[in-house]
Amino acid sequence: MSHSFSQLFYLKGRHFEKYVKIPIYLRLTVNGQRSELSISRKVDPEKWNARTGRMRGCGMEATQLNQYLDMVRAKINKIQFRLVEEGNPFTALDIKNIFQGKDREIKMLLVVFNEHNRQMKNLVDKEFSLSTWKRYFTTRNHVAEFIRHEYKREDLPVQDVDLRFITRFEYFMKSVKDCNRNSALKYINNFKKIVRLAVANGWIARDPFYNYKVKFKWVDREFLSTEELQRLVDLEINWPRIHMVRDMFVFCCYTGLAYIDIKKLTQDNLVRNIDGELWIEAKRTKTDAKFSIPLLPTALAILEKYKDHPKVVNGECVLPVLSNQKANAYLKEIADLCGIKKNLTTHLARHTFATTVTLSNGVPIETVGKMLGHKNLRTTQHYAKIVDSKVSEDMEMLKGILISDLRSKSLNNQHQK
């Protein structure tokens, strides 16, 4: 389908005073039908060349204006070329609306966020964990509260998200919501996914996160020492539910399992490996990464202890597990009974496995990472800190090697003399 097409820059309106600038308009003509638009520029009519549709002269003002006119003309040509290429009929008004952005549906930020979360919820246990969806759900609520607080509105066009919006949102999370630096940045990272989704769909012209840098503060993760762990294992407990939480925690200390992974563990995950020993083989809920863990004697003893529990007998689990909230509450009581001052949580068991049970006993960090189900060594390094006793032990070994080498060299020198 052929279209006649032309564009013309002209001055609209007259002024009888000298040196008063007049607005420049662009007239678009498609198949004899016209449409006009302002290009938001003015010029002295004495300096305007109506035949060429440009400003006369070679000065800076003329150069800048004519360059802008060329840019507008190029954009219009590009729009017309795309419409011709698509093969659908169009008018001069269609070109004008596309140039002014009126053809685009205005996407609202929270609407986009809601749709993302709805799709994510439908994929829980398929591509995402429930906890991941909950984090995005909470992030969406924080963004909504921020918009009400900062803009006094219920929603914003997604194209209004800029660097100022992001930095103000970060400040809001730290000041109003009282989040620490790392927690605030985790919410920012979740929000970033929504913004990148908008950029990918063309709802935002430029990524507002381009000049925004996220830098998490390094946090030393707590873990139990060998002495503290032994105190916990030896603790006499007369309350069945607290006793069960203690055993679950100790099991995690000797397997490195996260709470959600031990909760989902079944008899199918206990397999005999090539060495004839019992191993746990499963996938991490958080990352879907496979892991294999040989069961240590303490962990095996706990499994044996609960083999006749009704839930275990029915095949629901390998260990009876309370909710994470209740388990963490009981762990606070257990810490008091043991005289442990650290904040005992189900996840601290994972750190204890990485540091006290494995690395401190000479297990290579690569092996620890594989058992923890980490996809890269950097994650393992964040979890596992080498304790001072291990550093001291390794340095003593190195010292012995160096002293032995010096003695050998000394003896060789004496023989040569």
Side-chain angles (χ1 to χ4, degrees):
M1 184 181 291
S2 62
H3 295 270
S4 63
F5 169 70
S6 67
Q7 50 179 314
L8 172 70
F9 291 106
Y10 68 97
L11 303 187
K12 188 172 184 178
R14 295 183 179 180
H15 210 289
F16 298 102
E17 297 178 30
K18 283 190 175 183
Y19 312 118
V20 174
K21 294 183 177 182
I22 295 177
I24 304 173
Y25 272 67
L26 172 61
R27 178 183 297 147
L28 303 171
T29 307
V30 175
N31 294 336
Q33 299 295 317
R34 294 178 175 179
S35 186
E36 61 181 32
L37 65 142
S38 169
I39 64 164
S40 303
R41 293 292 188 277
K42 294 181 179 181
V43 67
D44 183 346
E46 295 294 322
K47 299 178 182 179
W48 181 253
N49 187 328
R51 185 179 63 83
T52 61
R54 297 171 71 82
M55 184 177 176
R56 295 189 182 95
C58 300
M60 182 178 292
E61 183 187 8
T63 300
Q64 288 179 346
L65 178 59
N66 289 334
Q67 283 177 348
Y68 178 76
L69 296 176
D70 289 340
M71 184 267 292
V72 171
R73 184 179 286 110
K75 281 189 174 182
I76 294 292
N77 284 334
K78 190 174 180 181
I79 292 168
Q80 187 262 349
F81 179 79
R82 176 166 64 82
L83 291 172
V84 170
E85 201 173 39
E86 288 173 356
N88 296 319
F90 62 89
T91 65
L93 182 60
D94 292 330
I95 296 177
K96 172 185 173 180
N97 286 338
I98 293 172
F99 178 78
Q100 293 180 328
K102 293 179 180 178
D103 65 312
R104 301 183 206 134
E105 178 187 357
I106 296 176
K107 291 284 184 178
M108 302 303 285
L109 178 57
L110 295 181
V111 173
V112 173
F113 216 140
N114 290 340
E115 178 59 19
H116 167 272
N117 288 0
R118 185 190 67 78
Q119 292 181 6
M120 178 176 275
K121 189 175 183 181
N122 290 337
L123 295 173
V124 167
D125 291 334
K126 296 175 183 176
E127 291 186 19
F128 305 100
S129 66
L130 180 62
S131 60
T132 299
W133 172 78
K134 284 181 177 178
R135 285 203 307 274
Y136 277 91
F137 179 81
T138 304
T139 304
R140 181 262 174 217
N141 289 343
H142 286 322
V143 171
E145 191 176 341
F146 167 69
I147 291 172
R148 288 193 294 270
H149 179 273
E150 187 75 10
Y151 298 92
K152 307 297 185 288
R153 295 175 61 180
E154 291 302 313
D155 204 349
L156 281 179
V158 71
Q159 64 196 35
D160 287 358
V161 176
D162 53 14
L163 183 60
R164 182 184 180 278
F165 182 103
I166 296 165
T167 53
R168 293 297 298 170
F169 179 49
E170 180 187 339
Y171 177 75
F172 171 81
M173 293 305 298
K174 292 176 179 176
S175 58
V176 178
K177 304 305 293 183
D178 199 28
C179 291
N180 63 38
R181 178 183 176 83
N182 287 358
S183 294
L185 292 182
K186 283 177 183 177
Y187 287 118
I188 297 290
N189 266 348
N190 289 341
F191 178 59
K192 184 194 290 187
K193 182 186 176 184
I194 307 303
V195 173
R196 292 276 167 86
L197 183 68
V199 173
N201 280 282
W203 303 328
I204 298 179
R206 185 173 180 273
D207 185 0
F209 275 95
Y210 182 76
N211 289 318
Y212 179 84
K213 303 300 178 188
V214 173
K215 190 172 182 181
F216 288 95
K217 184 179 179 181
W218 183 270
V219 177
D220 285 330
R221 298 187 182 270
E222 284 190 317
F223 55 88
L224 295 183
S225 66
T226 303
E227 187 271 332
E228 288 170 330
L229 179 55
Q230 193 57 50
R231 250 193 286 162
L232 196 72
V233 172
D234 295 338
L235 180 66
E236 291 289 337
I237 302 175
N238 298 318
W239 301 278
R241 290 169 75 81
I242 295 182
H243 191 104
M244 192 166 64
V245 169
R246 189 276 305 273
D247 288 344
M248 179 272 291
F249 181 84
V250 171
F251 185 82
C252 289
C253 285
Y254 282 93
T255 58
L257 293 177
Y259 168 80
I260 189 64
D261 294 325
I262 191 174
K263 187 180 172 97
K264 290 185 174 182
L265 214 59
T266 67
Q267 292 294 335
D268 291 337
N269 300 122
L270 302 179
V271 299
R272 291 284 171 189
N273 206 281
I274 194 170
D275 59 5
E277 299 294 329
L278 202 60
W279 286 47
I280 294 173
E281 290 189 357
K283 283 186 177 182
R284 284 207 69 200
T285 303
K286 183 178 179 180
T287 61
D288 204 38
K290 290 183 178 179
F291 63 86
S292 300
I293 307 166
L295 283 166
L296 296 170
T298 304
L300 281 169
I302 293 172
L303 288 180
E304 180 67 19
K305 183 176 178 179
Y306 287 92
K307 69 178 182 179
D308 295 325
H309 191 281
K311 287 188 176 182
V312 177
V313 172
N314 292 335
E316 297 176 34
C317 56
V318 297
L319 282 180
V321 177
L322 301 183
S323 70
N324 199 26
Q325 291 81 3
K326 285 183 180 178
N328 283 331
Y330 284 140
L331 283 171
K332 303 293 184 291
E333 293 185 39
I334 293 168
D336 290 338
L337 292 170
C338 289
I340 295 173
K341 303 299 182 185
K342 293 168 184 172
N343 182 28
L344 228 55
T345 64
T346 54
H347 209 65
L348 187 137
R350 190 166 165 81
H351 309 322
T352 301
F353 173 79
T355 306
T356 305
V357 175
T358 54
L359 282 173
S360 297
N361 288 307
V363 179
I365 194 168
E366 295 82 2
T367 304
V368 176
K370 185 173 176 60
M371 288 190 291
L372 289 173
H374 289 163
K375 292 183 177 179
N376 60 68
L377 198 59
R378 190 174 178 182
T379 309
T380 313
Q381 289 169 334
H382 189 67
Y383 269 85
K385 305 288 186 195
I386 307 293
V387 292
D388 290 342
S389 59
K390 177 61 178 168
V391 174
S392 176
E393 183 183 312
D394 290 342
M395 291 306 289
E396 282 297 323
M397 190 182 298
L398 175 61
K399 204 182 297 181
I401 293 170
L402 294 175
I403 291 171
S404 179
D405 286 347
L406 286 173
R407 285 174 180 167
S408 297
K409 287 178 182 177
S410 177
L411 286 171
N412 288 334
N413 289 336
Q414 287 177 6
H415 287 312
Q416 287 174 1
K417 289 179 180 178

